[in-house]
Every structure is written in C-alpha cells, then in structure tokens.
Amino acid sequence: MNNPILSIAENRKRGIPVGIPSYCTANSLVLEALMEQGRRFGDYLLVEATANQVNQFGGYTNMKPADYRDYIFDLARETGFPEEKIILGGDHLGPLTWADEPESTAMEKAEELVRQFVLAGYKKIHLDTSMRLGDDDPNAPLEDAVIAARGARLMKVCEAAYEELAAKNPGEMHPAYIIGSEVPIPGGSQEHEDSISVTKPEALADTIAAYRKAFDEAGLSSAFQYIAGVVVQPGVEFGDSDVFYYNRQNAVPLISSMSRYPGLILEGHSTDYQTPASLKEMVEDGIAILKVGPALTYSLREGLFALSEMEKLLIAEEKRANFTEVLEDIMLANPKDWQKHYHGTEEELKLKRKYSYSDRCRYYFSRPEITETIETLFSNMETVSIPLSMLHQFMPLQYSRICKGLLSPQPRALVKDYVVCLAEHYNYATHINYQYPV
C-alpha cells in the first residue's frame, strides 16, 4: 500500500495542487472535533506528536509512542472516524529533548525514540537533527554534513524497525520521511522579531545534497525514495501578539528551486494563525504539508471562554464553573510552563496567559482541575437553553451554523466547533474546489 504522504508529490507532478494539514495536538476535545469534522471527507487525517510531547520516557503528556497511538485510535472508535484513514506522525524526532547531552548519549536516546515511533506504526517521520548537542562547538554553526550524518544514523534505525514490523505484518505501509534543518521553534517564537528570513535556494540544495551523500555513505541509497519532503522556512511564524503572514513574492526563489526536485514536497511549520488565503497560496506554491499546533488549542480556549461568559449570565453564581478564573489560578500556581516564554509587566503577563498566540495555557488543559472545570461548565450549560440572541453576541459563527441546521446548540458541540472552523481553513487550502459549509 502506498503511503499517502508519498502520494502527494506524485499528484503534484501531475499538476494537482493538493496538500495535507498536519495537526499536532494531544488534546482530546480538539482531536474529537477534528475527527468528527473529518468524517465529512473520504481523505486522511494526519495527527502528529512531537518528541518532547511523546517519547520513550513519556514526554510531557506521559505517553510513549504506542500509548499515543492507542489514545488516538480509541478516540477514532469513539467518534466513528475510520482508523485506516489516520496517519500518525512523529515530529522533531531526534536529539531535541536531550540537546544538552553529548552526542554519544543524545543520539543513543534519539535512536531509541525513532525506533519506538516506527514500531508503533507511525507513517510520517520527521528526522530532526538540526540542533547543537552538548559537545558541539557553541560558537560555530552546525554543518549540513553533521546534521545529515546524524539524520542518516536515525534513518538506518527507522528502516531496521520497519523491516521488523513488516516481518510481523506483511503488507505494512512504509513510513515516509521528512528531512530539513531550517525548523522553527516548536510552538512559535519566544521573542519579538522584525522579519522572518525565507530559506534560500542554496541552503535547500545544500541540505538535500548533504543527505544524499550521508545516505550513500551509510548504505541507505535505496531508502532515499522514502524521503517525501523537506522542512523549510517559507516566511511564516508567530509570537505572543505577532503573526508573520505568507508573502509568496518573498518565497519565489525558494519555490522556483523546487523544480529541480520533482519527487519532493515542502513542509511548512508554524502555519498557525495564517489566513485561509495565505494557506492556500502556500499549498499552491508547493508547501504541501501545513503544520499547525497551538492554534488548535487557542481556538478551543476561545470557545471555552465564550461559553464561560454565557455561564455568568445564565447560571447562579454558586454553581458556576468559572473556567476563565480557574485557568488563571492554576497557571499562577504552576508557572513553569509559561514563565520562561512570557515577558512584560504583571498586566501584560495576565493578558498573555489568556490570549497569547503562543498559547501556553494548552499545557494546563490536561490537568485534573482543568478537565473537571471544563466538564462542570458543559454540565451547567446543558441545564439551560442558550438564547439565540446571546449566541449571536458571544458565538456569531456558531449562531450562523445553528440557524442553517449545521450545528447542535449543545455546549460541547459549540466549543468544538471553534476547532472545526479552524480546520475549515486548512481544508480550503489543501482541497481542490473546496466549499465552506457556511
């Protein structure tokens, strides 16, 4: 069976400008929304886990690769989404989490990381060895040859793991790999920047050449056919309050250079908060894999905040969940997941904890206190009938969809629809002649 990620390049060679969104999240409400919305189509849902989120030690989700796989498939069964249409991806797989360690131990852990991802059935593997390790010269740029040699080392482990898996499951789909060294910081920029530099064609050429050479030297020449694409910086990024939107004119040299590599596509990270038009232009230009992460939980948080505001108007004070206030209290009591990322006065920090594009509050959504508060909010709002006029005020998009019979006015459905609206942007970008449902 051909890997759908590898098929994207084949379709594009035939002049079909398709792509695929890559959803990087572990939030159950977000995933439910994506799966429920995805049932409208007959195509695939690409869901990715990052190396710091999911790894052999559990990551910050406390899930190993097989655990995350089972978690995703359990949600698919609950929502009725076909399991065979799920593509699991591993993002930033390499020594990222152990970059302060020397190469010997960092790469050993990275090898075990990719091995577990492949054995667990992940079919899109981003080999990311772009970071300096503990014994690399901190004052010198990491050479392409070093990055590629480390990437080839991980590729060899991946291929061995795939052969082990295929021996048990004849017909097992082969993983597709993504390479590339120009990778934005996972989760968005931490500091204000004035501009974003687009990957230069010569940098892309050097990366591909270095990997080809490293693969040849590692005896992996035949495996290069499974390299589906390259991560580049097309000029998009976001920070606390800034979004750098795609400018296709700035990307012309990069996009034009891809004609030399007809078997490869480009992958863009940090596409969060781009406009639908910008996303579509990116796909048309060959940036066929659109990674999105924080914007998903940012959308969920918007829906929860709106529902919480209506709770204040419809539910007696002593019964309210007060989600917005509880979230703030939990973040203040446990600051480690936002303190190093947000800077400014106390008033500025208060606003960033709620509204920053970096969306550090997503790290708190799995805490028992927060999940309990969300369920209380849903339960409270299920006991009342939300006036349509109030929905028009606090949830105007959802109001329109309810009026057209496309959405249930139930609290959980209303909140999840914020995620659906975001997913529609990516459907518009990656599907041909896509029509919005509203």
Side-chain angles (χ1 to χ4, degrees):
M1 182 178 178
N2 195 24
N3 190 309
I5 303 299
L6 292 166
S7 296
I8 293 174
E10 293 301 317
N11 284 326
R12 296 190 68 89
K13 280 195 290 186
R14 293 198 296 269
I16 306 173
V18 293
I20 190 169
S22 172
Y23 297 115
C24 190
T25 184
N27 185 282
S28 60
L29 282 170
V30 169
L31 288 164
E32 284 175 21
L34 293 172
M35 290 176 181
E36 289 166 1
Q37 192 266 356
R39 288 186 316 210
R40 295 177 54 225
F41 305 101
D43 52 10
Y44 291 88
L45 180 67
L46 171 58
V47 182
E48 297 209 44
T50 62
N52 58 350
Q53 191 179 43
V54 173
N55 57 49
Q56 66 265 44
F57 303 108
Y60 69 73
T61 61
N62 199 32
M63 284 190 279
K64 297 178 181 180
D67 299 326
Y68 183 79
R69 173 203 62 201
D70 295 343
Y71 168 64
I72 296 296
F73 285 154
D74 285 345
L75 285 173
R77 283 187 285 271
E78 291 172 14
T79 59
F81 188 87
E83 294 179 41
E84 66 273 13
K85 290 294 185 178
I86 293 175
I87 306 171
L88 290 175
D91 194 31
H92 297 285
L93 300 190
L96 172 68
T97 310
W98 310 285
D100 58 340
E101 298 183 21
E103 180 180 14
S104 58
T105 59
M107 285 300 295
E108 184 177 341
K109 290 175 181 175
E111 287 177 326
E112 179 59 23
L113 173 73
V114 298
R115 178 178 176 275
Q116 288 197 19
F117 267 87
V118 173
L119 286 178
Y122 290 67
K123 299 307 179 188
K124 177 181 176 291
I125 304 294
H126 173 212
L127 300 175
D128 181 11
T129 52
S130 62
M131 65 294 301
R132 292 189 189 89
L133 301 182
D135 47 6
D136 289 324
D137 185 347
N139 300 312
L142 199 59
E143 295 180 358
D144 285 331
V146 173
I147 294 170
R150 290 171 179 171
R153 178 175 167 182
L154 296 183
M155 181 71 161
K156 182 169 283 190
V157 174
C158 289
E159 287 294 277
Y162 168 71
E163 290 175 7
E164 181 181 340
L165 187 63
K168 299 176 184 176
N169 307 310
E172 183 76 22
M173 182 191 296
H174 200 288
Y177 300 94
I178 305 294
I179 58 174
S181 58
E182 293 209 16
V183 184
I185 298 169
S189 174
Q190 295 181 29
E191 305 293 342
H192 175 77
E193 299 176 70
D194 295 321
S195 63
I196 300 294
S197 297
V198 177
T199 298
K200 291 179 170 51
E202 53 268 30
L204 176 67
D206 289 346
T207 293
I208 295 172
Y211 269 90
R212 284 194 182 278
K213 185 172 187 294
F215 273 42
D216 289 344
E217 292 174 349
L220 292 167
S221 299
S222 61
F224 203 87
Q225 64 181 306
Y226 300 114
I227 302 296
V230 187
V231 173
V232 295
Q233 174 50 275
V236 302
E237 185 57 280
F238 62 91
D240 281 338
S241 58
D242 300 308
V243 178
F244 292 92
Y245 296 102
Y246 182 62
N247 184 325
R248 69 190 327 174
Q249 292 304 118
N250 293 342
V252 165
L254 170 64
I255 300 306
S256 298
S257 71
M258 285 304 294
S259 61
R260 298 168 54 191
Y261 314 105
L264 296 175
I265 56 177
L266 298 178
E267 175 169 309
H269 288 217
S270 298
T271 71
D272 309 65
Y273 313 111
Q274 295 291 308
T275 66
S278 293
L279 293 171
K280 190 167 188 63
E281 286 183 352
M282 291 173 71
V283 174
E284 288 172 349
D285 291 346
I287 305 159
I289 301 177
L290 303 175
K291 287 292 303 298
V292 55
L296 295 165
T297 41
Y298 182 94
S299 298
L300 179 70
R301 190 270 312 154
E302 283 186 314
L304 289 167
F305 274 20
L307 194 67
S308 187
E309 287 303 306
M310 291 189 289
E311 182 193 43
K312 291 178 172 65
L313 299 172
L314 297 173
I315 301 296
E317 184 175 359
E318 66 275 9
K319 294 181 179 179
R320 293 174 196 159
N322 294 316
F323 170 76
T324 306
E325 292 77 13
V326 171
L327 179 62
E328 171 72 352
D329 290 343
I330 295 297
M331 292 182 74
L332 285 173
N334 305 273
K336 73 178 183 68
D337 287 314
W338 61 265
Q339 209 164 41
K340 293 180 181 179
H341 299 264
Y342 296 158
H343 310 285
T345 65
E346 286 303 312
E347 190 60 32
E348 288 170 337
L349 290 174
K350 184 177 181 180
L351 290 175
K352 288 179 180 181
R353 283 192 294 270
K354 289 184 174 71
Y355 303 114
S356 168
Y357 286 135
S358 299
D359 192 52
R360 301 301 298 181
C361 64
R362 72 186 185 277
Y363 291 96
Y364 297 83
F365 277 11
S366 61
R367 296 179 71 93
E369 311 97 306
I370 298 299
T371 56
E372 182 180 344
T373 301
I374 291 173
E375 289 304 319
T376 300
L377 174 61
F378 287 155
S379 296
N380 282 346
M381 297 302 285
E382 285 169 357
T383 66
V384 297
S385 178
I386 305 173
L388 277 176
S389 54
M390 188 180 291
L391 282 169
H392 191 284
Q393 170 68 45
F394 291 101
M395 295 182 166
L397 290 178
Q398 287 63 44
Y399 166 84
S400 175
R401 289 161 66 81
I402 288 170
C403 290
K404 294 185 178 183
L406 298 171
L407 178 65
S408 164
Q410 293 304 305
R412 188 181 296 265
L414 290 170
V415 169
K416 288 195 290 188
D417 194 62
Y418 275 70
V419 179
V420 170
C421 287
L422 175 64
E424 294 288 0
H425 296 174
Y426 287 85
N427 289 333
Y428 170 72
T430 57
H431 291 70
I432 298 173
N433 298 324
Y434 183 77
Q435 297 294 318
Y436 282 106
V438 295

